[in-house]
């Protein structure tokens, strides 16, 4: 991927799935399971569920721009947390938004920073819209529930990436657009952002959204949704 960055636009589900199956098989070889590390996802490029954790139930394969309903159990079984999530765009290979960084610096009284990704990696920023379609106020974040995948290799947010993503949330919150990490009432919606770091030569192919507060439980991987990306767009 060139350093000028790539933005993935919304396409129909069929074209996104076609582009996914045409992707190459280049993947990073990391195997650690902690935040910010690469972990194995599905096994083969011919598998339509490549990018999902092995053995996980795939409840849908929406495209960028196509909303999907994420249901997460809560202590009140009669009122689970329910969100309609739309991945609006993904931008890779570009610096983090300078307006967000300047706002974060001003809020803590420090000079504006221009963070760089780890050596040999690039930032990928995922922008989402989240609507609470449940029956009570609910909180949701991508911290431990979403991975960005390059074929069969899955990348989580590192602790540093989480801080960058929270800077986006604070920026939009101060503009009056509260996101789900602050809590949304039924019928309310707001922006959510995630920041990942992947090898600079790679292009992401899918996003995995777990229908839980965690990617895995004691019983194995949680079910979820596999959002299809189009690296050629």
């Amino acid at each position: 991927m060139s350093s000028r960055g790539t933005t993935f636009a919304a396409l129909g589900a069929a074209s996104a799935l076609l582009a996914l199956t045409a992707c190459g098989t280049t993947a990073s070889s990391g195997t650690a399971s902690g935040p910010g590390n690469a972990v194995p996802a599905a096994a083969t490029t011919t598998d339509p569920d490549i990018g999902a954790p092995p053995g996980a139930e795939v409840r849908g394969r929406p495209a960028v721009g196509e909303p999907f309903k994420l249901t997460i159990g809560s202590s009140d079984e009669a009122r689970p947390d329910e969100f309609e999530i739309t991945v609006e765009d993904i931008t890779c290979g570009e610096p983090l938004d300078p307006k967000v960084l300047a706002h974060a610096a001003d809020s803590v009284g420090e000079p504006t920073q221009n963070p760089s990704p780890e050596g040999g990696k690039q930032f990928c920023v995922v922008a989402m819209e989240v609507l609470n379609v449940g029956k009570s106020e609910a909180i949701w974040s991508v911290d431990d529930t979403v991975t960005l995948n390059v074929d069969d290799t899955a990348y989580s947010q590192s602790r540093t990436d989480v801080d960058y993503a929270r800077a986006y949330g604070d920026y939009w919150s101060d503009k009056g657009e509260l996101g789900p990490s602050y809590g949304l009432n039924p019928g309310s919606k707001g922006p959510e952002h995630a920041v990942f770091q992947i090898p600079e030569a790679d292009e992401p192919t899918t996003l995995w959204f777990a229908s839980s507060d965690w990617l895995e439980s004691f019983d194995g991987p949680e079910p979820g949704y596999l959002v299809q990306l189009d690296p050629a767009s």
Side-chain angles (χ1 to χ4, degrees), residues 161-173:
D161 298 334
V162 169
D163 290 339
Y164 295 149
R166 287 174 180 164
Y168 279 80
D170 291 343
Y171 173 80
W172 288 106
S173 172

Side-chain angles (χ1 to χ4, degrees), residues 118-131:
E118 299 171 21
K121 291 190 175 181
Q122 60 179 323
F123 287 125
C124 286
V125 179
V126 182
M128 295 158 272
E129 182 181 80
V130 181
L131 169 67

Side-chain angles (χ1 to χ4, degrees), residues 137-177:
E137 182 185 10
I139 295 174
W140 179 81
S141 74
V142 302
D143 290 5
D144 297 301
T145 62
V146 178
T147 64
L148 180 65
N149 311 311
V150 178
D151 294 325
D152 62 351
T153 302
Y155 295 87
S156 300
Q157 292 188 115
S158 69
R159 292 301 94 191
T160 301
D161 298 334
V162 169
D163 290 339
Y164 295 149
R166 287 174 180 164
Y168 279 80
D170 291 343
Y171 173 80
W172 288 106
S173 172
D174 286 351
K175 286 184 167 292
E177 296 188 41

Side-chain angles (χ1 to χ4, degrees), residues 72-82 134-136:
I72 300 173
S74 66
S75 57
D76 184 355
E77 295 183 359
R79 288 186 174 183
D81 295 341
E82 296 180 302
K135 298 183 181 297
S136 60

Side-chain angles (χ1 to χ4, degrees), residues 26 31 49 61 63 103 107 110 139 182 187 207 228:
T26 301
T31 57
D49 296 337
R61 302 171 186 82
H103 177 271
S107 66
E110 295 180 356
I139 295 174
Y182 294 89
L207 280 157
Q228 309 294 303

